[in-house]
PDB file of all heavy atoms in Angstrom:
ATOM      1  N   CYS A  65      73.144 197.991 -52.533  1.00 93.00           N
ATOM      2  CA  CYS A  65      72.223 198.733 -53.174  1.00 93.00           C
ATOM      3  C   CYS A  65      70.828 198.534 -52.466  1.00 93.00           C
ATOM      4  O   CYS A  65      69.866 198.108 -53.180  1.00 93.00           O
ATOM      5  CB  CYS A  65      72.302 198.491 -54.704  1.00 93.00           C
ATOM      6  SG  CYS A  65      72.034 196.744 -55.130  1.00 93.00           S
ATOM      7  N   PRO A  66      70.687 199.125 -51.340  1.00 93.00           N
ATOM      8  CA  PRO A  66      69.544 199.021 -50.593  1.00 93.00           C
ATOM      9  C   PRO A  66      68.308 199.644 -51.213  1.00 93.00           C
ATOM     10  O   PRO A  66      67.131 199.188 -51.136  1.00 93.00           O
ATOM     11  CB  PRO A  66      69.738 199.539 -49.161  1.00 93.00           C
ATOM     12  CG  PRO A  66      70.938 200.485 -49.363  1.00 93.00           C
ATOM     13  CD  PRO A  66      71.654 199.829 -50.519  1.00 93.00           C
ATOM     14  N   GLU A  67      68.575 200.825 -51.916  1.00 94.00           N
ATOM     15  CA  GLU A  67      67.413 201.440 -52.594  1.00 94.00           C
ATOM     16  C   GLU A  67      66.860 200.648 -53.748  1.00 94.00           C
ATOM     17  O   GLU A  67      65.561 200.674 -53.941  1.00 94.00           O
ATOM     18  CB  GLU A  67      67.860 202.946 -52.998  1.00 94.00           C
ATOM     19  CG  GLU A  67      68.916 203.005 -54.089  1.00 94.00           C
ATOM     20  CD  GLU A  67      70.277 202.488 -53.742  1.00 94.00           C
ATOM     21  OE1 GLU A  67      70.678 202.708 -52.551  1.00 94.00           O
ATOM     22  OE2 GLU A  67      71.004 202.032 -54.649  1.00 94.00           O
ATOM     23  N   LEU A  68      67.692 199.995 -54.442  1.00 94.00           N
ATOM     24  CA  LEU A  68      67.078 199.198 -55.529  1.00 94.00           C
ATOM     25  C   LEU A  68      66.379 198.053 -55.112  1.00 94.00           C
ATOM     26  O   LEU A  68      65.308 197.680 -55.474  1.00 94.00           O
ATOM     27  CB  LEU A  68      68.346 198.654 -56.404  1.00 94.00           C
ATOM     28  CG  LEU A  68      67.950 197.585 -57.501  1.00 94.00           C
ATOM     29  CD1 LEU A  68      67.071 198.203 -58.512  1.00 94.00           C
ATOM     30  CD2 LEU A  68      69.175 197.082 -58.076  1.00 94.00           C
ATOM     31  N   ILE A  69      66.782 197.325 -53.887  1.00 93.00           N
ATOM     32  CA  ILE A  69      66.248 196.250 -53.302  1.00 93.00           C
ATOM     33  C   ILE A  69      64.734 196.682 -52.800  1.00 93.00           C
ATOM     34  O   ILE A  69      63.697 195.907 -53.055  1.00 93.00           O
ATOM     35  CB  ILE A  69      66.986 195.586 -52.187  1.00 93.00           C
ATOM     36  CG1 ILE A  69      68.365 195.184 -52.559  1.00 93.00           C
ATOM     37  CG2 ILE A  69      66.286 194.481 -51.537  1.00 93.00           C
ATOM     38  CD1 ILE A  69      68.525 194.284 -53.821  1.00 93.00           C
ATOM     39  N   MET A  70      64.770 197.791 -52.134  1.00 93.00           N
ATOM     40  CA  MET A  70      63.484 198.319 -51.629  1.00 93.00           C
ATOM     41  C   MET A  70      62.474 198.706 -52.654  1.00 93.00           C
ATOM     42  O   MET A  70      61.293 198.505 -52.603  1.00 93.00           O
ATOM     43  CB  MET A  70      63.771 199.456 -50.703  1.00 93.00           C
ATOM     44  CG  MET A  70      62.589 199.996 -49.874  1.00 93.00           C
ATOM     45  SD  MET A  70      61.810 198.772 -48.768  1.00 93.00           S
ATOM     46  CE  MET A  70      63.010 198.654 -47.504  1.00 93.00           C
ATOM     47  N   ASP A  71      63.012 199.179 -53.742  1.00 93.00           N
ATOM     48  CA  ASP A  71      62.249 199.600 -54.878  1.00 93.00           C
ATOM     49  C   ASP A  71      61.465 198.177 -55.484  1.00 93.00           C
ATOM     50  O   ASP A  71      60.393 198.221 -55.720  1.00 93.00           O
ATOM     51  CB  ASP A  71      63.025 200.220 -55.946  1.00 93.00           C
ATOM     52  CG  ASP A  71      62.029 200.624 -57.100  1.00 93.00           C
ATOM     53  OD1 ASP A  71      61.163 201.333 -56.937  1.00 93.00           O
ATOM     54  OD2 ASP A  71      62.490 200.319 -58.321  1.00 93.00           O
ATOM     55  N   TYR A  72      62.325 197.226 -55.744  1.00 93.00           N
ATOM     56  CA  TYR A  72      61.735 195.979 -56.151  1.00 93.00           C
ATOM     57  C   TYR A  72      60.692 195.368 -55.105  1.00 93.00           C
ATOM     58  O   TYR A  72      59.732 194.978 -55.599  1.00 93.00           O
ATOM     59  CB  TYR A  72      62.880 194.948 -56.326  1.00 93.00           C
ATOM     60  CG  TYR A  72      63.534 195.033 -57.798  1.00 93.00           C
ATOM     61  CD1 TYR A  72      64.853 195.081 -57.773  1.00 93.00           C
ATOM     62  CD2 TYR A  72      62.822 194.991 -58.968  1.00 93.00           C
ATOM     63  CE1 TYR A  72      65.583 195.085 -59.094  1.00 93.00           C
ATOM     64  CE2 TYR A  72      63.467 194.954 -60.173  1.00 93.00           C
ATOM     65  CZ  TYR A  72      64.802 195.179 -60.180  1.00 93.00           C
ATOM     66  OH  TYR A  72      65.413 195.073 -61.379  1.00 93.00           O
ATOM     67  N   LYS A  73      61.020 195.425 -53.909  1.00 90.00           N
ATOM     68  CA  LYS A  73      60.128 194.905 -52.778  1.00 90.00           C
ATOM     69  C   LYS A  73      58.869 195.680 -52.784  1.00 90.00           C
ATOM     70  O   LYS A  73      57.798 195.010 -52.636  1.00 90.00           O
ATOM     71  CB  LYS A  73      60.761 194.933 -51.437  1.00 90.00           C
ATOM     72  CG  LYS A  73      61.795 194.029 -51.206  1.00 90.00           C
ATOM     73  CD  LYS A  73      62.359 194.054 -49.781  1.00 90.00           C
ATOM     74  CE  LYS A  73      63.273 192.960 -49.369  1.00 90.00           C
ATOM     75  NZ  LYS A  73      63.772 193.074 -47.962  1.00 90.00           N
ATOM     76  N   LEU A  74      58.930 196.828 -52.941  1.00 90.00           N
ATOM     77  CA  LEU A  74      57.624 197.707 -52.906  1.00 90.00           C
ATOM     78  C   LEU A  74      56.795 197.752 -54.240  1.00 90.00           C
ATOM     79  O   LEU A  74      55.666 197.909 -54.204  1.00 90.00           O
ATOM     80  CB  LEU A  74      57.915 199.247 -52.521  1.00 90.00           C
ATOM     81  CG  LEU A  74      58.509 199.408 -51.210  1.00 90.00           C
ATOM     82  CD1 LEU A  74      58.941 200.771 -50.950  1.00 90.00           C
ATOM     83  CD2 LEU A  74      57.387 199.025 -50.194  1.00 90.00           C
TER      84      LEU A  74
END
Side-chain angles (χ1 to χ4, degrees):
C65 49
E67 67 288 333
L68 175 65
I69 306 303
M70 188 58 70
D71 183 53
Y72 276 129
K73 284 183 174 184
L74 294 174

